[in-house]
Amino acid sequence: MSGMTIIEKILAAHAGKDKVVPSEVIVTKFDKLCILDANFGMPPAFRTQPKKIYDPEVNVIIFDHMVPPQTASDADCGTRARAYRDHFGVKHFYDIGRGGIAHYVMPAEGLALPGTLIGNSDSHTAGVGAYNCGAKGLGGGTLKYAICKGDTWFKVCPTILVKFEGKLPPNTSGRDVFFKMANEIGMKTNHNFEFGGSGLKNLTMYDRQAIAIQTVELGAEFSTFPFDEVTEEFFKKVTDKPLHPVAPDPDAVYKETYVINLNEVEPQVALPPKIANNCKPARELSNLPINQATLASCAGSSLEDLKRAADILRGKHIHPGVRMIVTPGSVKIMQEADEAGYLRDLIAAGATITSPGCGACFGKHSGVLGENERVIATVTRNPRGRLGAKSSEVLLASSATVAASALKGFVTDPRDV
Amino acid sequence: MTVSRRIFLGITASSLASPLIGSAAIAAPAEKKKNDVGNAVPVPKDGIIKGRVWIFGDGIWADSLMPAEAMTMPLGEAKAHCLSDIRPGWAAQVKKGDILLAGKEFGLGSARDASALLKYMGIQAIVAESMMPFFVRNCVNSGVPLMECPNVKSIFKEGDTLEFNLHTGLIKNLTTGKQIQGVPMPEAINDIIIEGGTAAVLKKEGYT
């Protein structure tokens, strides 16, 4: 009998089975299920409170999509969330100013631990698999079902292995690695991604998170990194609890294997309306002027992203025709960036800092665009109009490329500033 | 003086007696129309679905089906925004029981539940050349019958009557008599859809 990949092992353990194989339909339990502020407004989800739930200890409530609320009806979502907490006695509760984007908060608070299975309504949840857990975006309806009944169904998908070799050159980061993958691998709907290779140790946790989050844009079901010394170092600061990392079996079956040489990664930009097979080197796009530069999202507003932007902008001023909006990924990231002086550098350069959370990434607030405007951003997806007016355009890039472009007023390779 | 200021602020004796403002816990705003199902059509128990088709292209984003500004609106308000970037005014033309026929990669991107919105608008089922997994999952939750079928668009033009069998996957154009074979979902999943989705299961079992 052949072995299992990391995610197959995690799913099997949570389905109470010795083994799962691709295309099997299974029912799993969860260690943590995360309800977001927005779920308390969406009609099919938690706009009305369930009469009973499976286990309040499994519940985590995080405010990230609409912080702070822009409208009275968004504020009502918060009121419903607090009433839910009080009614069911939910302990893991991160109100405005206490948390940030769920995908940064869950691992940092020890709620997404290696080997566990977590669910969240948000589509980019799979990226929390960077921390060696099974993580899945469920949508509001499935989230509600799982919160009530304790489980949900999955159809096990085949796994693709991506092996990293070498080391990233300066001025590149996880997002650039992903853009290279998106060009070389393309759409892989209904597949899991697993990562490995000798270059893995050269990728930071934030690089890994950016890569794993973005694989959702290639159609990834689950996206999981192995546990290594980098992961261990991260969790040392988070929890004293014993960890239960999951490694793939030596004879695990992968549908396809790709090798990505990190030495060859260069600053890239994903053009609208879709990332797969649609990324170009930043240097080839330097004729494109921008109106706005945005640092935000679960794949682009980490402490390292803020540092990279601050390093480029320190002592300089962004282009007069550009406004730059920085939305730190979490309160913790904002505090760390403040202590390190990055926020001061960014503000002095002309950037404005908004409330930690999803920010403009889903196009509702904190710097949306007007008609015919173009933004270069570290957000997660780029269909036309994603960040505002229907005619507006979203270019995706790394934090370094976004900062360099903000400085020049057009798409700029960070190696050229 | 004190009295007139109070009147100016619109505070009456009865509102001052109310415990709402200043209390620690604020009651969750009540939903006025709990059972507003709009034009939703119940799923036929035999799994045979028939309706007039609206045809859309490849790569329709969840962002188009349910734009950000509509995400937390009640469905009755949100419906006007559905696909408004691709086909302005479409929502008002949808009739109860219509079927949405789309190309490849229907429902790209966000996990936001656009299937519930389409159902509310009267869309009875979705047939597409391929569908993104989040959208499939949302259809199962909302109880929206779905069928994937490569090349299905080749035998339809807008306004034709489409009939499909959820169990066998056979799709017929009742206007022209042509037919094509789709890929049915596992029966365990079809059972949930016919039941009305996981939302209906939760209701039946007393969770909601």
Side-chain angles (χ1 to χ4, degrees), chain A residues 173-396:
Chain A
S173 62
R175 290 179 68 81
D176 298 305
V177 177
F178 170 73
F179 294 140
K180 184 174 168 68
M181 279 174 54
N183 271 1
E184 292 179 17
I185 300 174
M187 280 304 278
K188 291 288 173 190
T189 306
N190 285 318
H191 287 76
N192 302 316
F193 279 85
E194 184 176 309
F195 301 91
S198 61
L200 198 66
K201 61 179 183 297
N202 299 321
L203 292 173
T204 67
M205 289 314 296
Y206 284 139
D207 282 332
R208 297 176 191 196
Q209 176 168 337
I211 294 167
I213 293 266
Q214 291 290 175
T215 58
V216 170
E217 299 311 302
L218 304 183
E221 175 87 350
F222 286 93
S223 197
T224 318
F225 274 76
F227 184 92
D228 66 0
E229 60 270 32
V230 180
T231 331
E232 192 174 9
E233 198 56 38
F234 174 87
F235 280 109
K236 259 186 203 164
K237 293 173 197 150
V238 166
T239 180
D240 298 330
K241 284 184 199 166
L243 300 178
H244 305 286
V246 178
D249 288 327
D251 57 345
V253 178
Y254 298 97
K255 191 174 167 197
E256 293 169 41
T257 300
Y258 294 86
V259 176
I260 299 286
N261 187 341
L262 299 177
N263 298 304
E264 293 169 4
V265 171
E266 61 174 339
Q268 288 200 64
V269 173
L271 298 169
K274 201 172 142 189
I275 310 174
N277 309 112
N278 200 25
C279 305
K280 289 217 162 91
R283 276 179 184 158
E284 286 180 22
L285 298 168
S286 58
N287 58 336
L288 286 180
I290 55 158
N291 306 98
Q292 184 171 308
T294 297
L295 230 66
S297 94
C298 50
S301 62
S302 70
L303 183 66
E304 289 165 10
D305 290 310
L306 269 55
K307 179 185 189 304
R308 278 188 284 265
D311 286 348
I312 287 169
L313 297 173
R314 189 171 297 117
K316 297 175 180 163
H317 292 282
I318 59 173
H319 189 275
V322 176
R323 66 270 178 183
M324 181 166 181
I325 294 167
V326 177
T327 304
S330 70
V331 174
K332 187 164 176 278
I333 289 169
M334 184 156 82
Q335 280 175 326
E336 289 169 345
D338 181 34
E339 280 158 24
Y342 307 148
L343 296 185
R344 195 169 42 206
D345 294 334
L346 292 166
I347 294 165
T352 189
I353 315 289
T354 76
S355 176
C358 302
C361 183
F362 71 113
K364 197 164 185 283
H365 60 82
S366 294
V368 295
L369 304 174
E371 296 292 348
N372 302 310
E373 290 199 303
R374 180 182 292 131
V375 64
I376 187 160
T378 62
V379 299
T380 51
R381 53 174 71 108
N382 58 347
R384 200 167 284 275
R386 167 78 176 178
L387 255 62
K390 305 291 182 209
S391 61
S392 64
E393 219 172 69
V394 185
L395 307 178
L396 302 177

Side-chain angles (χ1 to χ4, degrees), chain A residues 51 142 149 153 274 386, chain B residues 63 105 137 141 205 207:
Chain A
K51 292 196 178 88
T142 298
K149 303 261 293 178
W153 59 274
K274 201 172 142 189
R386 167 78 176 178
Chain B
D63 289 74
E105 296 183 340
R137 188 172 274 278
N141 291 328
E205 296 183 6
Y207 287 94

Side-chain angles (χ1 to χ4, degrees), chain B residues 47-67:
Chain B
I48 295 170
I49 293 120
K50 189 167 86 172
R52 176 180 72 142
V53 295
W54 291 99
I55 300 186
F56 285 86
D58 292 341
I60 303 286
W61 288 81
D63 289 74
S64 291
L65 292 164
M66 189 185 253

